[in-house]
Short mmCIF file of all heavy atoms in Angstrom, two decimals:
data_model
loop_
_atom_site.label_atom_id
_atom_site.label_comp_id
_atom_site.label_asym_id
_atom_site.label_seq_id
_atom_site.Cartn_x
_atom_site.Cartn_y
_atom_site.Cartn_z
N GLY A 96 -9.19 49.13 5.92
CA GLY A 96 -7.84 49.58 6.12
C GLY A 96 -7.49 49.65 7.57
O GLY A 96 -8.03 48.92 8.42
N LEU A 97 -6.55 50.56 7.90
CA LEU A 97 -6.01 50.70 9.25
C LEU A 97 -6.12 52.15 9.70
O LEU A 97 -5.79 53.05 8.92
CB LEU A 97 -4.56 50.24 9.27
CG LEU A 97 -3.74 50.57 10.52
CD1 LEU A 97 -4.21 49.74 11.71
CD2 LEU A 97 -2.25 50.31 10.28
N ARG A 98 -6.57 52.37 10.96
CA ARG A 98 -6.56 53.68 11.51
C ARG A 98 -5.74 53.70 12.80
O ARG A 98 -5.75 52.74 13.59
CB ARG A 98 -7.99 54.18 11.89
CG ARG A 98 -8.90 54.34 10.70
CD ARG A 98 -10.20 55.04 11.12
NE ARG A 98 -10.85 54.48 12.27
CZ ARG A 98 -12.02 54.86 12.74
NH1 ARG A 98 -12.68 55.81 12.11
NH2 ARG A 98 -12.58 54.29 13.79
N LEU A 99 -4.98 54.79 12.98
CA LEU A 99 -4.27 55.01 14.23
C LEU A 99 -5.07 56.04 15.01
O LEU A 99 -5.32 57.13 14.54
CB LEU A 99 -2.87 55.50 14.01
CG LEU A 99 -1.95 54.60 13.13
CD1 LEU A 99 -0.53 55.19 13.08
CD2 LEU A 99 -1.91 53.18 13.65
N LEU A 100 -5.50 55.68 16.24
CA LEU A 100 -6.29 56.54 17.09
C LEU A 100 -5.49 56.90 18.32
O LEU A 100 -4.68 56.08 18.81
CB LEU A 100 -7.59 55.85 17.48
CG LEU A 100 -8.45 55.22 16.38
CD1 LEU A 100 -9.71 54.63 16.99
CD2 LEU A 100 -8.80 56.23 15.33
N ASP A 101 -5.73 58.08 18.87
CA ASP A 101 -5.08 58.45 20.12
C ASP A 101 -5.88 57.91 21.30
O ASP A 101 -6.86 57.19 21.14
CB ASP A 101 -4.86 59.97 20.21
CG ASP A 101 -6.17 60.75 20.30
OD1 ASP A 101 -7.23 60.16 20.55
OD2 ASP A 101 -6.13 61.99 20.17
N ALA A 102 -5.45 58.26 22.50
CA ALA A 102 -6.05 57.70 23.70
C ALA A 102 -7.53 58.05 23.82
O ALA A 102 -8.32 57.36 24.46
CB ALA A 102 -5.33 58.15 24.94
N HIS A 104 -9.49 58.23 21.22
CA HIS A 104 -10.08 57.61 19.99
C HIS A 104 -10.28 58.63 18.91
O HIS A 104 -11.18 58.51 18.03
CB HIS A 104 -11.34 56.88 20.31
CG HIS A 104 -11.16 55.59 21.05
ND1 HIS A 104 -11.83 54.43 20.76
CD2 HIS A 104 -10.32 55.25 22.07
CE1 HIS A 104 -11.41 53.46 21.56
NE2 HIS A 104 -10.50 53.95 22.38
N ARG A 105 -9.45 59.66 18.85
CA ARG A 105 -9.44 60.59 17.75
C ARG A 105 -8.48 60.07 16.64
O ARG A 105 -7.39 59.54 16.99
CB ARG A 105 -8.98 61.97 18.20
CG ARG A 105 -9.96 62.62 19.19
CD ARG A 105 -9.39 63.94 19.69
NE ARG A 105 -8.11 63.76 20.39
CZ ARG A 105 -7.43 64.72 20.96
NH1 ARG A 105 -7.91 65.96 20.97
NH2 ARG A 105 -6.30 64.46 21.60
N VAL A 106 -8.85 60.18 15.43
CA VAL A 106 -8.10 59.63 14.29
C VAL A 106 -6.80 60.45 14.15
O VAL A 106 -6.83 61.68 13.94
CB VAL A 106 -8.89 59.62 12.99
CG1 VAL A 106 -8.03 59.12 11.83
CG2 VAL A 106 -10.13 58.74 13.16
N MET A 107 -5.67 59.76 14.22
CA MET A 107 -4.35 60.41 13.98
C MET A 107 -3.89 60.18 12.54
O MET A 107 -3.28 61.05 11.92
CB MET A 107 -3.30 59.83 14.93
CG MET A 107 -3.63 60.04 16.41
SD MET A 107 -2.68 58.93 17.46
CE MET A 107 -1.01 59.42 17.02
N ALA A 108 -4.18 59.01 12.00
CA ALA A 108 -3.78 58.72 10.63
C ALA A 108 -4.64 57.57 10.14
O ALA A 108 -5.12 56.76 10.94
CB ALA A 108 -2.29 58.31 10.57
N PHE A 110 -4.93 54.67 6.92
CA PHE A 110 -4.29 53.98 5.81
C PHE A 110 -5.32 53.08 5.11
O PHE A 110 -5.54 51.96 5.51
CB PHE A 110 -3.08 53.13 6.25
CG PHE A 110 -2.01 53.97 6.91
CD1 PHE A 110 -2.03 54.22 8.27
CD2 PHE A 110 -0.98 54.48 6.14
CE1 PHE A 110 -1.05 54.98 8.86
CE2 PHE A 110 0.03 55.26 6.72
CZ PHE A 110 0.00 55.52 8.08
N TRP A 221 0.01 40.60 25.86
CA TRP A 221 -1.29 41.12 25.49
C TRP A 221 -2.39 40.09 25.75
O TRP A 221 -2.16 38.89 25.72
CB TRP A 221 -1.28 41.51 23.99
CG TRP A 221 -0.55 42.74 23.64
CD1 TRP A 221 0.80 42.98 23.85
CD2 TRP A 221 -1.09 43.93 23.07
NE1 TRP A 221 1.11 44.24 23.42
CE2 TRP A 221 -0.05 44.87 22.94
CE3 TRP A 221 -2.35 44.29 22.67
CZ2 TRP A 221 -0.22 46.11 22.38
CZ3 TRP A 221 -2.56 45.55 22.14
CH2 TRP A 221 -1.48 46.48 22.00
N TRP A 235 -15.56 50.99 11.87
CA TRP A 235 -15.48 51.53 10.49
C TRP A 235 -15.16 50.49 9.46
O TRP A 235 -14.78 50.78 8.35
CB TRP A 235 -14.47 52.66 10.46
CG TRP A 235 -13.01 52.27 10.42
CD1 TRP A 235 -12.38 51.49 11.33
CD2 TRP A 235 -12.08 52.51 9.36
NE1 TRP A 235 -11.07 51.25 10.94
CE2 TRP A 235 -10.87 51.88 9.71
CE3 TRP A 235 -12.14 53.22 8.18
CZ2 TRP A 235 -9.72 51.94 8.94
CZ3 TRP A 235 -11.00 53.29 7.39
CH2 TRP A 235 -9.80 52.67 7.79
N GLY A 237 -12.77 48.43 9.50
CA GLY A 237 -11.31 48.26 9.32
C GLY A 237 -10.70 47.95 10.67
O GLY A 237 -11.39 47.52 11.60
N VAL A 238 -9.38 48.12 10.79
CA VAL A 238 -8.66 47.88 11.99
C VAL A 238 -8.34 49.16 12.71
O VAL A 238 -7.87 50.16 12.10
CB VAL A 238 -7.34 47.09 11.72
CG1 VAL A 238 -6.56 46.85 12.98
CG2 VAL A 238 -7.66 45.78 11.02
N ASP A 239 -8.62 49.24 14.03
CA ASP A 239 -8.25 50.36 14.87
C ASP A 239 -7.05 50.00 15.72
O ASP A 239 -7.12 48.99 16.45
CB ASP A 239 -9.42 50.78 15.77
CG ASP A 239 -10.52 51.51 15.05
OD1 ASP A 239 -10.29 51.96 13.91
OD2 ASP A 239 -11.63 51.63 15.59
N GLN A 240 -6.02 50.86 15.68
CA GLN A 240 -4.92 50.70 16.62
C GLN A 240 -4.95 51.92 17.56
O GLN A 240 -4.88 53.05 17.11
CB GLN A 240 -3.57 50.72 15.86
CG GLN A 240 -3.44 49.65 14.79
CD GLN A 240 -3.02 48.30 15.34
OE1 GLN A 240 -3.22 48.00 16.49
NE2 GLN A 240 -2.46 47.49 14.48
N ILE A 241 -5.11 51.66 18.85
CA ILE A 241 -5.20 52.71 19.85
C ILE A 241 -3.78 53.02 20.34
O ILE A 241 -3.15 52.21 21.01
CB ILE A 241 -6.11 52.32 21.02
CG1 ILE A 241 -7.43 51.75 20.49
CG2 ILE A 241 -6.32 53.53 21.93
CD1 ILE A 241 -8.19 52.66 19.61
N CYS A 242 -3.28 54.21 20.00
CA CYS A 242 -1.91 54.59 20.32
C CYS A 242 -1.90 55.29 21.69
O CYS A 242 -1.92 56.49 21.77
CB CYS A 242 -1.37 55.49 19.24
SG CYS A 242 -1.36 54.73 17.59
N ASP A 243 -1.93 54.48 22.71
CA ASP A 243 -1.99 54.96 24.07
C ASP A 243 -1.02 54.16 24.90
O ASP A 243 -1.29 52.94 25.16
CB ASP A 243 -3.41 54.82 24.60
CG ASP A 243 -3.58 55.23 26.05
OD1 ASP A 243 -2.57 55.68 26.64
OD2 ASP A 243 -4.68 55.12 26.59
N ARG A 246 -2.78 52.32 27.81
CA ARG A 246 -3.66 51.22 27.46
C ARG A 246 -3.77 51.08 25.95
O ARG A 246 -4.79 51.35 25.35
CB ARG A 246 -5.05 51.41 28.07
CG ARG A 246 -5.99 50.20 27.94
CD ARG A 246 -7.32 50.49 28.53
NE ARG A 246 -7.23 50.71 29.95
CZ ARG A 246 -8.23 51.16 30.73
NH1 ARG A 246 -9.41 51.47 30.17
NH2 ARG A 246 -8.09 51.33 32.03
N PRO A 247 -2.71 50.62 25.30
CA PRO A 247 -2.79 50.38 23.84
C PRO A 247 -3.73 49.24 23.58
O PRO A 247 -3.90 48.28 24.40
CB PRO A 247 -1.35 50.03 23.48
CG PRO A 247 -0.75 49.50 24.70
CD PRO A 247 -1.40 50.27 25.85
N ALA A 248 -4.38 49.30 22.43
CA ALA A 248 -5.35 48.26 22.07
C ALA A 248 -5.50 48.17 20.56
O ALA A 248 -5.13 49.10 19.85
CB ALA A 248 -6.71 48.58 22.71
N THR A 249 -6.07 47.05 20.13
CA THR A 249 -6.40 46.84 18.72
C THR A 249 -7.81 46.32 18.63
O THR A 249 -8.23 45.50 19.48
CB THR A 249 -5.45 45.84 18.10
OG1 THR A 249 -4.09 46.28 18.21
CG2 THR A 249 -5.72 45.61 16.63
N PHE A 250 -8.55 46.80 17.65
CA PHE A 250 -9.91 46.36 17.46
C PHE A 250 -10.17 46.10 15.96
O PHE A 250 -9.70 46.85 15.14
CB PHE A 250 -10.95 47.36 17.95
CG PHE A 250 -12.34 47.12 17.45
CD1 PHE A 250 -13.09 46.03 17.93
CD2 PHE A 250 -12.89 47.97 16.51
CE1 PHE A 250 -14.36 45.79 17.42
CE2 PHE A 250 -14.18 47.74 16.01
CZ PHE A 250 -14.91 46.66 16.48
N MET A 251 -10.92 45.04 15.70
CA MET A 251 -11.28 44.74 14.27
C MET A 251 -12.55 43.91 14.23
O MET A 251 -12.84 43.15 15.16
CB MET A 251 -10.14 44.01 13.58
CG MET A 251 -9.85 42.62 14.11
SD MET A 251 -8.19 42.04 13.76
CE MET A 251 -7.24 43.01 14.97
N GLU A 261 -7.74 43.36 21.26
CA GLU A 261 -6.46 43.00 21.85
C GLU A 261 -6.05 44.16 22.78
O GLU A 261 -6.03 45.32 22.37
CB GLU A 261 -5.36 42.78 20.79
CG GLU A 261 -5.73 41.64 19.81
CD GLU A 261 -4.78 41.58 18.64
OE1 GLU A 261 -3.92 42.48 18.47
OE2 GLU A 261 -4.93 40.63 17.82
N PHE A 262 -5.70 43.80 24.05
CA PHE A 262 -5.34 44.82 25.01
C PHE A 262 -4.02 44.48 25.67
O PHE A 262 -3.77 43.29 25.99
CB PHE A 262 -6.42 44.93 26.13
CG PHE A 262 -7.80 45.22 25.64
CD1 PHE A 262 -8.73 44.20 25.48
CD2 PHE A 262 -8.17 46.53 25.33
CE1 PHE A 262 -10.03 44.47 25.05
CE2 PHE A 262 -9.46 46.82 24.90
CZ PHE A 262 -10.39 45.79 24.74
N TRP A 282 -16.47 50.98 22.17
CA TRP A 282 -16.95 50.46 20.92
C TRP A 282 -18.39 49.93 21.03
O TRP A 282 -19.11 49.89 20.02
CB TRP A 282 -16.08 49.28 20.45
CG TRP A 282 -14.71 49.70 20.02
CD1 TRP A 282 -14.32 50.16 18.82
CD2 TRP A 282 -13.54 49.66 20.83
NE1 TRP A 282 -12.96 50.42 18.80
CE2 TRP A 282 -12.45 50.11 20.03
CE3 TRP A 282 -13.27 49.29 22.13
CZ2 TRP A 282 -11.14 50.24 20.51
CZ3 TRP A 282 -11.96 49.39 22.64
CH2 TRP A 282 -10.93 49.84 21.80
N PHE A 301 3.62 38.71 22.57
CA PHE A 301 3.97 39.13 21.21
C PHE A 301 5.52 39.31 21.12
O PHE A 301 6.07 40.09 21.90
CB PHE A 301 3.29 40.44 20.82
CG PHE A 301 1.78 40.34 20.74
CD1 PHE A 301 1.04 41.49 20.80
CD2 PHE A 301 1.14 39.12 20.61
CE1 PHE A 301 -0.37 41.43 20.69
CE2 PHE A 301 -0.26 39.05 20.51
CZ PHE A 301 -0.98 40.22 20.56
N PRO A 325 5.11 40.53 15.94
CA PRO A 325 3.90 41.09 16.57
C PRO A 325 2.82 41.24 15.51
O PRO A 325 3.10 41.41 14.34
CB PRO A 325 4.39 42.49 17.08
CG PRO A 325 5.88 42.37 17.16
CD PRO A 325 6.29 41.41 16.05
N PRO A 326 1.53 41.22 15.91
CA PRO A 326 0.46 41.15 14.94
C PRO A 326 -0.01 42.47 14.37
O PRO A 326 -1.01 42.54 13.67
CB PRO A 326 -0.65 40.50 15.73
CG PRO A 326 -0.45 40.99 17.14
CD PRO A 326 1.04 41.10 17.27
N PHE A 327 0.69 43.57 14.63
CA PHE A 327 0.12 44.88 14.43
C PHE A 327 -0.11 45.26 12.96
O PHE A 327 -0.85 46.21 12.68
CB PHE A 327 1.01 45.94 15.10
CG PHE A 327 1.20 45.69 16.59
CD1 PHE A 327 2.49 45.62 17.10
CD2 PHE A 327 0.16 45.49 17.43
CE1 PHE A 327 2.71 45.37 18.43
CE2 PHE A 327 0.35 45.20 18.76
CZ PHE A 327 1.66 45.16 19.31
N ILE A 328 0.52 44.59 12.03
CA ILE A 328 0.26 44.89 10.64
C ILE A 328 -0.33 43.65 9.93
O ILE A 328 -0.41 43.61 8.71
CB ILE A 328 1.51 45.38 9.86
CG1 ILE A 328 2.63 44.33 9.90
CG2 ILE A 328 1.99 46.72 10.42
CD1 ILE A 328 3.83 44.68 9.03
N GLY A 329 -0.70 42.63 10.71
CA GLY A 329 -1.41 41.49 10.15
C GLY A 329 -0.63 40.64 9.18
O GLY A 329 -1.19 40.10 8.22
N LEU A 376 8.54 46.42 10.42
CA LEU A 376 7.35 47.28 10.29
C LEU A 376 6.39 47.07 11.44
O LEU A 376 5.79 48.01 11.97
CB LEU A 376 6.66 47.01 8.94
CG LEU A 376 7.34 47.56 7.69
CD1 LEU A 376 6.54 47.15 6.47
CD2 LEU A 376 7.47 49.10 7.76
N ALA A 377 6.19 45.81 11.81
CA ALA A 377 5.26 45.52 12.92
C ALA A 377 5.78 46.12 14.22
O ALA A 377 5.02 46.63 15.04
CB ALA A 377 5.04 44.02 13.03
N MET A 380 5.11 49.73 14.23
CA MET A 380 3.74 50.03 14.57
C MET A 380 3.52 49.89 16.07
O MET A 380 2.78 50.70 16.68
CB MET A 380 2.83 49.08 13.80
CG MET A 380 1.33 49.34 14.04
SD MET A 380 0.84 50.97 13.47
CE MET A 380 0.89 50.73 11.71
N GLY A 381 4.16 48.89 16.66
CA GLY A 381 4.06 48.75 18.12
C GLY A 381 4.61 49.98 18.82
O GLY A 381 4.02 50.46 19.84
N ALA A 383 4.59 53.02 17.57
CA ALA A 383 3.60 54.07 17.32
C ALA A 383 2.46 53.99 18.33
O ALA A 383 1.86 54.99 18.71
CB ALA A 383 3.08 54.01 15.92
N MET A 384 2.14 52.74 18.77
CA MET A 384 1.04 52.58 19.70
C MET A 384 1.41 52.88 21.13
O MET A 384 0.59 53.18 21.99
CB MET A 384 0.52 51.12 19.59
CG MET A 384 -0.11 50.78 18.25
SD MET A 384 -0.54 49.04 18.17
CE MET A 384 -1.84 48.88 19.36
N THR A 385 2.70 52.79 21.46
CA THR A 385 3.09 52.89 22.88
C THR A 385 4.22 53.89 23.12
O THR A 385 4.73 53.94 24.23
CB THR A 385 3.56 51.50 23.37
OG1 THR A 385 4.69 51.10 22.60
CG2 THR A 385 2.47 50.46 23.24
N ARG A 395 4.02 63.29 17.73
CA ARG A 395 3.75 62.14 16.85
C ARG A 395 2.46 62.34 16.10
O ARG A 395 2.36 62.03 14.91
CB ARG A 395 3.63 60.88 17.74
CG ARG A 395 3.37 59.58 16.96
CD ARG A 395 3.23 58.39 17.87
NE ARG A 395 2.11 58.60 18.80
CZ ARG A 395 2.07 58.14 20.04
NH1 ARG A 395 3.07 57.43 20.52
NH2 ARG A 395 1.02 58.37 20.84
N LEU A 399 2.24 62.27 12.10
CA LEU A 399 1.40 61.33 11.37
C LEU A 399 0.33 62.04 10.55
O LEU A 399 0.04 61.64 9.42
CB LEU A 399 0.76 60.36 12.38
CG LEU A 399 1.62 59.30 12.98
CD1 LEU A 399 0.93 58.57 14.15
CD2 LEU A 399 2.07 58.28 11.95
#
Side-chain angles (χ1 to χ4, degrees):
L97 168 70
R98 296 191 309 185
L99 303 184
L100 310 181
D101 66 12
H104 288 223
R105 295 175 299 183
V106 177
M107 300 163 59
F110 298 88
W221 284 62
W235 77 301
V238 178
D239 284 345
Q240 304 277 23
I241 312 303
C242 301
D243 177 2
R246 188 180 295 170
T249 303
F250 164 70
M251 65 203 76
E261 299 170 355
F262 302 100
W282 293 275
F301 294 162
F327 304 125
I328 59 172
L376 285 177
M380 182 63 72
M384 295 173 68
T385 61
R395 181 182 60 210
L399 286 170

